[in-house]
Each structure stands twice: as structure tokens, then as C-alpha cells.
Amino acid sequence: MLKMRTQTIGVVHFAPLALGKNGKMGNIFEQDIFDIFNSDKTQFYVNFSKSIEEESCKNCSYNSFCAVCISKIYTANIQRLKDGLELCEIAKRNKMDKYFDFNVNYSDFKFNV
């Protein structure tokens, strides 16, 4: 089930709001609601997949943190990049870099498990 929230200023967010601007789907005062729900970004969230038993995750040190939560997968991949690694197989397979901004100041980033 896809959960979305709308702010009073019309901004529609994918839940959780922890994703910040990465979770912004559109604005109902600027776009038709059907266009927002049928957008590529909404389809990305609807179709995003990660199983707890993913083979590529079994030996990953971040797996116990990220589980199947998209915002935690995003956070874990920021830490992976900070640690000099590339995006995980789940992030690559789901093309997270198309919809998420991974260009954060890594020196200020704190990874909390």
C-alpha cells in the first residue's frame, strides 16, 4: 500500500516525510492529482521492491538497518557512498539514483543504526 501525505501548501509527499525533498511527488495546486498519481516517481514508489531475504543483502553490513524501508535504504546508501562504496544492488536495481539525491555533504552525515 502506497501512503501519501498532502501538506496544506499542496505538496504531496510519499510517506515517510523523512525523505525530505526526495519524497516530494508534486503539488496539487500546480498539477492535476491524477498526473501526480500516474507519474514516473509515483510508479517508482509503487514498484520499489526489496525482500528481507534478498541474496545480495545477506552479507551486507547495512542489511540489519535498512530492512525493507525505502528511507532506511536511502540512508544506508548515503553511508555506503561516504564509506567509499557504490550504491547497493537494491538501489541500483530500483534505479534510486534517478529519484533520490545522493549528493549530500558526507562529512556532515551521521549514520545511526
Side-chain angles (χ1 to χ4, degrees):
M1 170 192 270
L2 180 66
K3 294 182 182 180
M4 300 177 101
R5 294 189 174 108
T6 304
Q7 296 175 313
T8 55
I9 57 173
V11 176
V12 179
H13 277 272
F14 170 75
L17 291 174
L19 293 173
K21 67 180 180 177
N22 290 303
K24 181 181 176 185
M25 308 303 290
N27 187 310
I28 59 172
F29 297 130
E30 299 169 1
Q31 298 166 268
D32 186 274
I33 191 72
F34 294 105
D35 291 339
I36 294 171
F37 286 122
N38 292 318
S39 71
D40 287 344
K41 191 166 189 179
T42 300
Q43 294 309 307
F44 162 77
Y45 286 112
V46 169
N47 296 317
F48 188 90
S49 66
K50 180 189 185 241
S51 165
I52 208 78
E53 292 89 23
E54 289 279 349
E55 191 64 37
S56 63
C57 300
K58 286 186 178 177
N59 295 318
C60 177
S61 60
Y62 305 96
N63 192 35
S64 62
F65 171 76
C66 73
V68 295
C69 174
I70 196 168
S71 63
K72 288 184 176 184
I73 293 168
Y74 170 65
T75 303
N77 275 279
I78 290 174
Q79 183 65 40
R80 286 177 60 89
L81 294 171
K82 181 181 177 185
D83 293 343
L85 302 170
E86 58 185 26
L87 295 176
C88 75
E89 292 303 313
I90 302 307
K92 289 181 193 175
R93 182 183 71 215
N94 286 284
K95 299 181 174 90
M96 285 183 79
D97 58 333
K98 181 177 178 182
Y99 299 101
F100 287 75
D101 180 10
F102 287 99
N103 295 316
V104 297
N105 185 345
Y106 299 124
S107 61
D108 293 338
F109 184 77
K110 303 277 190 286
F111 185 67
N112 297 315
V113 180

